[in-house]
Amino acid sequence: MEELVNKASGMVWSLGLVVFALGAGLFFSIMTRFVQIRYFKEMIKLLFDKGEPESGVSSFQAFCMALAGRVGIGNIAGVATAIAFGGPGAIFWMWIMALLGGASAFVESTLAQVYKVKDGNQYRGGTPYFIEKGLNMKWFGVLVAIVVTLCYGILVPGIQANTIAVGFENTMGLNKSITGLILVALLAIIIFGGVKRIASVADKVVPFMALGYVIVTFVLLIANASEIPAMFGLIISSAFGANEMFGGMIGAAIAWGVKRAVFSNVAGVGEGTYSSAAAAVSHPAKQGLVQAFSVYIDTIIVCTATALMILITGMYSVTPEGQQPIVDKIPGIEAGPMWTQAAVESVIPGFGSLFVAIAIFFFAFTTLMAYYYISETTLFYLGRNRNLKGFKVGLMILFLGMIYIGSVENASLLWGLGDFGFGSMAWLNLVAILMLTKTALKVFKDYEQQRKAGIEPVFDPIKLGIKGADFWEEKVKEGNSKRKKKIEGKQSETENTVNF
């Protein structure tokens, strides 16, 4: 089974996907004139846009939900495997993918907002929605929804749960089955509360966990300050094959850097589209900018923190696939969270194992919350116009069951399943957003023009000739109706005053 899964994962994650992801990011960067760089200050400002309190979640809550999905064990274990198989140079290519991926995240999240729908007092949307409404290709939307539901509801959650369980087993000797039961209980309490509760937990936990992780990184860097220049020199030289030791690994560095960056920040995969659609904003481009910023937080800050801790302390090995180790500084220790634990222990004895176990718990737990919300959203898409109560309960039971199984199952099989799932979604989502590039650029241009005119950007799809944006069309009509009634009311008051 494991061999079959790894073979399928290898086919999905071929050189073609690496080139496709990089190429798409570069294309969107050029077409938007590097929006992810030009609008950096605007991104931070928009984080605190309150939106509409009566519907949806705030822009910041949607940002935290997306970041909860992005910042997971890929930021710890994924970075370690990138170094193990691609060398230190893989970190540079993670940075490049994050920079270019910011444009992909902007486009996909903007499209999610354009084609979102209202469900009670919340909004739903994402890749299947903008495929059906924007491309008029329902069969394609259904295909993506099925893949996403299977991926986030079944294939991927086990990776996060397994890493939490292994971390606590190594640190405290806690039986993995007990950890699995605790995870199931905690998640059940949160996901049964719906998107509002998920968003509420995310906006409190995510900033706290990221800040704590970065603080510990600075402690390790300060303790090894004299090694910082050499470490960055190693990353840059290895990235281009200029380092004598890693000279023949430039291909592996690019491939593993891009692969693990996509797994970590999921820019272009479509994961951020579901939380983006849940936000209440006046213009779709606003949430697109906010989500582009979340890619920076994930990869440039959190992933880099892991890489710097590992490299500055020398707690790593490099073994190209199918070859003998080039560097073997920590023999016998598998690439993963234990590298980060060893790195922290080397500077703060007795603290590393517990710190990383807690970090993994927060990173992975919040990711699991995001996974459930995504799978529920795609289930809603597949079951529209039907009574979904039974299906939702079934999804919850299945999801929680996979959390427990993942806690006690073989980790390598779970990673293979996760890579296959993410790779499949990346292919499908990238194709979809490339086909909708014209619409995304039209929305972005409208946003820029309104900003230059000095007015608060408000989206009107009718004016832009964008079809399928039903929610926004209704919102425009409601706004026009209210303004008309207000004008008529004032006219009536004037007439009454004159008659009097």
Side-chain angles (χ1 to χ4, degrees), residues 119 122 124 191-192 194 372 376 379-380 387-398:
D119 171 29
Q122 63 181 305
R124 292 191 187 273
I191 65 178
F192 273 89
Y372 175 76
E376 183 185 278
L379 179 68
F380 175 83
N387 187 345
L388 291 177
K389 190 173 182 180
F391 289 100
K392 281 182 65 174
V393 172
L395 176 64
M396 288 179 182
I397 293 171
L398 183 61

Side-chain angles (χ1 to χ4, degrees), residues 84-95:
F85 300 120
I91 303 307
F92 174 83
W93 293 106
M94 287 185 76
W95 294 338

Side-chain angles (χ1 to χ4, degrees), residues 194-218:
V195 64
K196 294 279 188 179
R197 186 177 296 175
I198 292 172
S200 178
V201 173
D203 73 3
K204 294 175 180 63
V205 174
V206 170
F208 162 77
M209 72 184 189
L211 180 62
Y213 200 67
V214 171
I215 288 172
V216 173
T217 301
F218 273 110

Side-chain angles (χ1 to χ4, degrees), residues 64-85:
C64 288
M65 284 172 65
L67 202 56
R70 297 188 199 280
V71 179
I73 50 93
N75 297 77
I76 300 178
V79 171
T81 55
I83 294 172
F85 300 120

